[in-house]
Amino acid sequence: MVLAVDCSRDGWTGCYPVTPHRFKTQGLSPNMQAVRWHPPSYDIRVETIPTPEIKHPDDAIVKVKLAALCGSDLHIYRGHAGVDKIHTCGHEFIGEVVALGSSYGSNVEGRPKLYSTLKVGDKVVSPFTVNCGECHVCRLGYTARCPEGALFGSPALEGGQAQYVRVPKAGGTLFNLSNPDTWSSALSSHDKEKALTGLSDSSLLMLADILPTGVFAATQAVNHPKVLPVVTGRPWPQCLSPEATTEGNEISFTPEDRILTIAVIGLGPVGICATIGLLDVVATRQIPYRIVAIDLLEARREKMKAVFAAIDPSGKGDGEFVVLDMDAAKAQVKKWTGAVGCTAILEVVGHADALSAAYDLVRAFGVIVSVGVHGAPPMPFTGRQLYNKNVSFDFGRCPARAMFPPAFDLLVKRQDVFGGVGQPASLIDRIVNFEEATESYRAFDKGEVGKVIFSPWK
Amino acid sequence: MVLAVDCSRDGWTGCYPVTPHRFKTQGLSPNMQAVRWHPPSYDIRVETIPTPEIKHPDDAIVKVKLAALCGSDLHIYRGHAGVDKIHTCGHEFIGEVVALGSSYGSNVEGRPKLYSTLKVGDKVVSPFTVNCGECHVCRLGYTARCPEGALFGSPALEGGQAQYVRVPKAGGTLFNLSNPDTWSSALSSHDKEKALTGLSDSSLLMLADILPTGVFAATQAVNHPKVLPVVTGRPWPQCLSPEATTEGNEISFTPEDRILTIAVIGLGPVGICATIGLLDVVATRQIPYRIVAIDLLEARREKMKAVFAAIDPSGKGDGEFVVLDMDAAKAQVKKWTGAVGCTAILEVVGHADALSAAYDLVRAFGVIVSVGVHGAPPMPFTGRQLYNKNVSFDFGRCPARAMFPPAFDLLVKRQDVFGGVGQPASLIDRIVNFEEATESYRAFDKGEVGKVIFSPWK
């Protein structure tokens, strides 16, 4: 996620019922280390707490190998989220299954495949929210809004910045990196397995949130009906149906009409992933493009430039790519399109000012995709403004579990970017142990470090 | 359009340049009758004013056969639109070309076909806004936001409630009902011509605004990516690409998952057209549905029920259709979907309260299409609310010129509804002459009559 979550208002129902069954987690130490938040704010402590146990037959216990710090953890850290319950932080983690509830077996009919196939010892990555995988909302693929869902690292569900984490509804939630047959991919099984052995845990951890969220933003923009005329070369509304003809009063498109002009606002880790996702789509589908990636902070712009430089030429497609601050970006869009504006905007900040800038930059009949976590301020628009520009919006949280397959494929393709730690082009700044957790939160909050990963067993 | 337009802020630039050429409109009486609005409000006068002349080579002069009164005319009528310029009212008209500028000829290369084919004597209907048909925005099909556009019946452009009207950029704007080769259709040329001879002028007049706007609303909803899982039977994001596979952890859809649940809020003429358009899409594409059509006014609900009753059974598709007030509709959606909510909402009121109700009714990852003309109040949402429900919005004005072909096909199919005047199932309440214009505005404003059409030559 892009910014932190106000857990008290975030659509999930709070605690899970504790069933009468309690399945002992065998062979694990009774206590563990965890990074805990204490109210009211800025108080992170590494504490010894009981190791989680199976509470429900659908649970799994995961031994955490790596857990990342995310920009959205800062809302609670800063005390802005209306939270007052001490809890374990973190919603990005990768690890190994060490215990499973009684729902898991060799032949569980009618439930997600993982209930039959997940085994102790499997390597897994989790999306940042739980989802059952079985309800109407999950069946449609909208896993981020499962009514039984919960956000890791919130008062409702202990997080992954710990040595162990309990994963409710694990058969719907987890992504089994030891069994590539449990997800579809454009890659063959062989290539999937080969890729898995080549990918570092720190790069696979990007699947937990930032990479699928970035891919979700890019996917929504390029597939929006209002973008289709540019992509298909056929005018609205004929662009919607392949069999429709355009032999009326319309005149032919120029090459200029086929250029996708997109601004990405906000170049934190998710914004960079969104840009990488966007570059992948336009390269794969051979769509000519002009992309401007925007951030107010020079350090983020420099990171974006380094990432773009590291991407192999075949993954960059055919277009123009610039990284600018907001004023320069507005001038650039004007230079590219005159008074028209951008085809679409990826708003990856989660702030009303970013939405206002997106409105200024987008063309009439344009699309604003907003994957940031917004706060309490009202939308900075009148209905008339939105009518006058025929604006479309796609708001909301990434259904990360559903986006794992395309995000995984992109991770494999973009090892030029996701492989390293601490290099100019890598999204991960450093890997530290829990002794540095308190200081890492402080430094991350101040913008003194980029993305930090915790290694709980060092 | 659904409600009136605040012309001063509506994105167009005001007056057209008067070129040095002034082409005399020959053979017409120098003066004509027109329905004129006078500031500050509620002041409609039928006046004798000069007959319009060709001012620009791209102009056409149309002799008006019928011109309709639209709900959106009431914004200016009531003095709510910040307008202070006396002008001729009306943006819905049908008529006959009586004069053409010098741009029209037998072989105009590279311009819209009408510049070569439009002739004096042709029967035409106009969209409610002018569009050049030649710029980037028009080429993409987004004709409602042509930078050279203007709204008829506003301070920027004299309206169609007159005996004659000047149509700027007529080769891009008009729809030539005398030459069916100038638009594409699912019908054959023969069937198009046959249909044209069978359609009354009053029903063809529905093309000017309300029918394409209704079809636009329905088209956007059913084609939105977030609706695709229901329509295709494949989960997000596999629903986006036909070649993607779903052999992962997903479980099969139930029949319930394939039912499109849609609420239409607002049953004025556009809302009824949107409902008719929606019923046509679900019947044609054989999508099971549950549709609730909502209005606060009993008279509008009764009209909607009569329209539905008049539609032939094959055009109703396979689903449930109910007409309710808002409270009953919310209970109905809960009964249908539990806590989930509607797949999509067509908001056809143009008011913040209707948007709030749409938010309450829509499911997470749902779509709100808003074709109403909104006013100055801010959007009634916080960013957090939109994040929490993963809401998508499509705002704005119908590109009526681009929507004419599908709207025409629907008009031909739905002659059971669009044929009559003054019957329970017809959208047109009465056809009157200009002597009744002042009284008609008053009665229409008070809700005492439904849609009124003026016949300027009676």
Side-chain angles (χ1 to χ4, degrees), chain A residues 22-26 28-34 49-55 59-64 88 98-99 157-160 162-167:
Chain A
R22 289 180 68 90
F23 303 88
K24 270 286 171 200
T25 307
Q26 293 178 340
L28 305 183
S29 165
N31 293 308
M32 68 167 188
Q33 298 287 300
I49 59 168
T51 299
E53 297 179 342
I54 300 285
K55 286 186 183 175
D59 285 355
I61 304 297
V62 171
K63 182 179 178 181
V64 178
T88 301
V98 292
L157 186 59
E158 297 284 12
Q163 291 180 315
Y164 295 96
V165 58
R166 184 179 70 90
V167 179

Coordinates of all heavy atoms in Angstrom, one line a residue, chain A residues 22-26 28-34 49-55 59-64 88 98-99 157-160 162-167:
Chain A
R22 N -8.3 -25.4 19.4 CA -7.1 -24.7 19.4 C -6.0 -25.7 19.1 O -5.7 -26.6 19.9 CB -6.8 -24.0 20.8 CG -7.7 -22.8 21.0 CD -7.5 -22.2 22.3 NE -6.1 -21.5 22.3 CZ -5.9 -20.2 21.9 NH1 -6.9 -19.5 21.5 NH2 -4.7 -19.7 22.0
F23 N -5.3 -25.5 18.0 CA -4.4 -26.5 17.5 C -3.0 -26.0 18.0 O -2.5 -25.0 17.6 CB -4.4 -26.6 16.0 CG -5.8 -27.0 15.6 CD1 -6.8 -26.1 15.3 CD2 -6.2 -28.4 15.4 CE1 -8.0 -26.4 14.9 CE2 -7.4 -28.7 15.0 CZ -8.4 -27.7 14.8
K24 N -2.4 -26.8 18.8 CA -1.0 -26.5 19.3 C 0.0 -26.4 18.2 O 0.0 -27.2 17.2 CB -0.6 -27.6 20.3 CG -1.0 -27.3 21.7 CD -0.1 -26.2 22.3 CE -0.7 -25.8 23.7 NZ -0.2 -24.5 24.1
T25 N 0.8 -25.4 18.2 CA 1.9 -25.2 17.3 C 3.1 -26.0 17.9 O 3.6 -25.5 18.8 CB 2.2 -23.8 17.0 OG1 1.0 -23.1 16.7 CG2 3.2 -23.6 15.9
Q26 N 3.4 -27.1 17.3 CA 4.3 -28.0 17.9 C 5.8 -27.7 17.6 O 6.0 -27.3 16.4 CB 4.0 -29.4 17.6 CG 2.7 -29.9 18.2 CD 2.4 -31.3 17.9 OE1 2.9 -31.8 16.9 NE2 1.5 -31.9 18.6
L28 N 7.8 -25.3 18.3 CA 8.3 -24.0 18.2 C 8.6 -23.5 19.6 O 7.9 -23.9 20.6 CB 7.2 -23.1 17.5 CG 6.7 -23.5 16.1 CD1 5.8 -22.4 15.6 CD2 7.9 -23.7 15.2
S29 N 9.5 -22.6 19.7 CA 9.8 -22.0 21.0 C 8.5 -21.2 21.4 O 7.8 -20.7 20.6 CB 10.9 -21.0 20.8 OG 11.0 -20.1 21.9
P30 N 8.2 -21.2 22.7 CA 6.9 -20.6 23.1 C 7.0 -19.1 23.0 O 5.9 -18.4 22.9 CB 6.8 -21.0 24.6 CG 8.2 -21.4 25.0 CD 8.9 -21.9 23.8
N31 N 8.1 -18.5 22.9 CA 8.2 -17.0 22.7 C 9.0 -16.7 21.5 O 9.8 -17.5 21.0 CB 8.8 -16.4 24.0 CG 7.9 -16.6 25.2 OD1 6.7 -16.3 25.2 ND2 8.5 -17.2 26.3
M32 N 8.8 -15.4 21.1 CA 9.5 -14.9 19.9 C 9.8 -13.4 20.0 O 9.2 -12.7 20.9 CB 8.7 -15.2 18.7 CG 7.4 -14.4 18.6 SD 6.7 -14.5 16.9 CE 5.3 -13.3 17.1
Q33 N 10.6 -12.9 19.1 CA 10.8 -11.5 19.0 C 9.9 -10.9 18.0 O 9.6 -11.5 16.9 CB 12.2 -11.2 18.5 CG 13.3 -11.8 19.5 CD 13.4 -10.9 20.7 OE1 13.7 -9.7 20.7 NE2 13.1 -11.5 21.9
A34 N 9.4 -9.7 18.3 CA 8.5 -9.0 17.4 C 8.6 -7.5 17.5 O 9.0 -7.0 18.6 CB 7.0 -9.3 17.7
I49 N 7.3 -11.8 22.9 CA 5.9 -12.1 23.1 C 5.7 -13.6 22.7 O 6.5 -14.2 22.1 CB 5.0 -11.2 22.2 CG1 5.3 -11.4 20.7 CG2 5.1 -9.7 22.6 CD1 4.3 -10.8 19.8
P50 N 4.5 -14.1 23.1 CA 4.2 -15.5 22.8 C 4.2 -15.8 21.3 O 3.7 -15.0 20.6 CB 2.8 -15.8 23.4 CG 2.7 -14.8 24.5 CD 3.4 -13.5 24.0
T51 N 4.8 -16.9 20.9 CA 4.7 -17.3 19.5 C 3.3 -17.6 19.2 O 2.5 -18.2 20.0 CB 5.6 -18.6 19.3 OG1 6.9 -18.3 19.7 CG2 5.5 -19.1 17.9
P52 N 2.8 -17.1 18.0 CA 1.4 -17.4 17.7 C 1.1 -18.8 17.5 O 2.0 -19.6 17.1 CB 1.2 -16.6 16.3 CG 2.5 -16.5 15.8 CD 3.5 -16.4 16.9
E53 N -0.2 -19.2 17.8 CA -0.6 -20.6 17.6 C -1.8 -20.6 16.6 O -2.4 -19.6 16.3 CB -1.2 -21.1 19.0 CG -0.1 -21.1 20.0 CD -0.7 -21.6 21.4 OE1 -2.0 -21.5 21.5 OE2 0.1 -22.0 22.2
I54 N -2.0 -21.8 16.1 CA -3.2 -22.0 15.3 C -4.5 -21.8 16.1 O -4.6 -22.4 17.2 CB -3.2 -23.5 14.7 CG1 -2.0 -23.8 13.9 CG2 -4.5 -23.8 14.0 CD1 -2.0 -23.2 12.5
K55 N -5.3 -20.9 15.7 CA -6.5 -20.6 16.4 C -7.8 -21.1 15.7 O -8.9 -21.2 16.2 CB -6.7 -19.1 16.5 CG -5.8 -18.4 17.5 CD -6.3 -16.9 17.6 CE -5.4 -16.1 18.5 NZ -5.8 -14.7 18.4
D59 N -6.1 -21.7 9.7 CA -4.8 -20.9 9.9 C -3.6 -21.6 9.4 O -3.5 -22.9 9.4 CB -4.7 -20.7 11.4 CG -5.6 -19.6 12.0 OD1 -6.3 -19.0 11.2 OD2 -5.6 -19.5 13.2
A60 N -2.6 -20.8 9.2 CA -1.2 -21.3 9.1 C -0.3 -20.5 9.9 O -0.6 -19.3 10.2 CB -0.7 -21.3 7.6
I61 N 0.8 -21.1 10.4 CA 1.8 -20.3 11.1 C 3.0 -20.2 10.1 O 3.5 -21.3 9.6 CB 2.2 -20.9 12.4 CG1 1.0 -21.0 13.4 CG2 3.3 -20.0 13.1 CD1 0.3 -19.8 13.8
V62 N 3.5 -19.0 9.9 CA 4.6 -18.8 9.0 C 5.8 -18.3 9.8 O 5.7 -17.4 10.6 CB 4.2 -17.8 7.9 CG1 5.5 -17.5 7.0 CG2 3.2 -18.4 7.0
K63 N 6.9 -19.0 9.6 CA 8.2 -18.5 10.2 C 8.8 -17.4 9.2 O 9.0 -17.7 8.0 CB 9.2 -19.7 10.3 CG 10.5 -19.3 10.9 CD 11.5 -20.5 11.0 CE 12.8 -20.0 11.5 NZ 13.7 -21.2 11.6
V64 N 8.9 -16.2 9.7 CA 9.2 -15.1 8.8 C 10.7 -15.1 8.5 O 11.6 -15.1 9.4 CB 8.8 -13.8 9.5 CG1 9.2 -12.6 8.6 CG2 7.3 -13.8 9.7
T88 N 1.8 -6.0 16.8 CA 3.0 -6.2 16.0 C 2.8 -5.6 14.6 O 1.7 -5.7 14.0 CB 3.2 -7.7 15.8 OG1 3.3 -8.3 17.1 CG2 4.4 -8.0 15.0
V98 N 5.3 -23.3 9.0 CA 5.8 -24.2 10.0 C 4.6 -25.0 10.7 O 4.8 -25.9 11.5 CB 6.6 -23.5 11.1 CG1 7.9 -23.1 10.4 CG2 5.9 -22.3 11.7
A99 N 3.4 -24.5 10.6 CA 2.2 -25.2 11.1 C 1.0 -24.9 10.3 O 0.8 -23.8 9.8 CB 2.0 -24.8 12.6
L157 N -5.1 -7.6 13.4 CA -4.4 -8.8 13.0 C -2.9 -8.5 13.2 O -2.3 -7.5 12.6 CB -4.6 -9.1 11.5 CG -4.0 -10.4 11.0 CD1 -4.5 -11.6 11.8 CD2 -4.3 -10.6 9.5
E158 N -2.2 -9.3 14.0 CA -0.8 -9.1 14.3 C 0.0 -9.2 13.0 O -0.3 -10.0 12.1 CB -0.3 -10.2 15.3 CG -1.0 -10.1 16.6 CD -0.5 -9.0 17.5 OE1 0.2 -8.1 17.0 OE2 -0.8 -9.0 18.7
G159 N 1.0 -8.3 12.9 CA 1.8 -8.2 11.6 C 2.9 -9.1 11.5 O 3.1 -10.0 12.3
G160 N 3.6 -8.9 10.4 CA 4.7 -9.8 10.0 C 6.1 -9.4 10.4 O 7.0 -10.2 10.1
A162 N 8.0 -10.0 12.7 CA 8.1 -10.8 13.9 C 8.8 -12.1 13.4 O 9.0 -12.3 12.2 CB 6.7 -11.2 14.5
Q163 N 9.1 -13.0 14.4 CA 9.8 -14.2 13.9 C 8.8 -15.2 13.4 O 9.1 -16.0 12.5 CB 10.6 -14.8 15.1 CG 11.8 -13.9 15.4 CD 12.6 -14.5 16.6 OE1 12.1 -14.8 17.6 NE2 13.9 -14.5 16.4
Y164 N 7.5 -15.1 13.9 CA 6.4 -15.9 13.4 C 5.2 -15.1 13.2 O 5.0 -14.1 13.9 CB 6.1 -17.1 14.3 CG 7.2 -18.0 14.5 CD1 8.1 -17.9 15.6 CD2 7.4 -19.1 13.6 CE1 9.2 -18.8 15.8 CE2 8.4 -20.0 13.8 CZ 9.3 -19.9 14.9 OH 10.3 -20.8 15.0
V165 N 4.3 -15.5 12.3 CA 3.1 -14.8 12.1 C 2.0 -15.8 11.8 O 2.2 -16.8 11.1 CB 3.2 -13.7 11.0 CG1 3.6 -14.3 9.6 CG2 1.9 -12.9 10.8
R166 N 0.8 -15.5 12.4 CA -0.4 -16.4 12.1 C -1.1 -15.8 10.9 O -1.4 -14.6 10.8 CB -1.3 -16.4 13.3 CG -2.5 -17.3 13.1 CD -3.4 -17.3 14.4 NE -4.1 -16.0 14.5 CZ -5.3 -15.8 14.0 NH1 -6.0 -16.7 13.3 NH2 -5.9 -14.6 14.2
V167 N -1.4 -16.7 9.9 CA -2.1 -16.2 8.7 C -3.5 -16.9 8.7 O -3.6 -18.1 8.4 CB -1.3 -16.7 7.4 CG1 -2.1 -16.2 6.2 CG2 0.1 -16.1 7.4

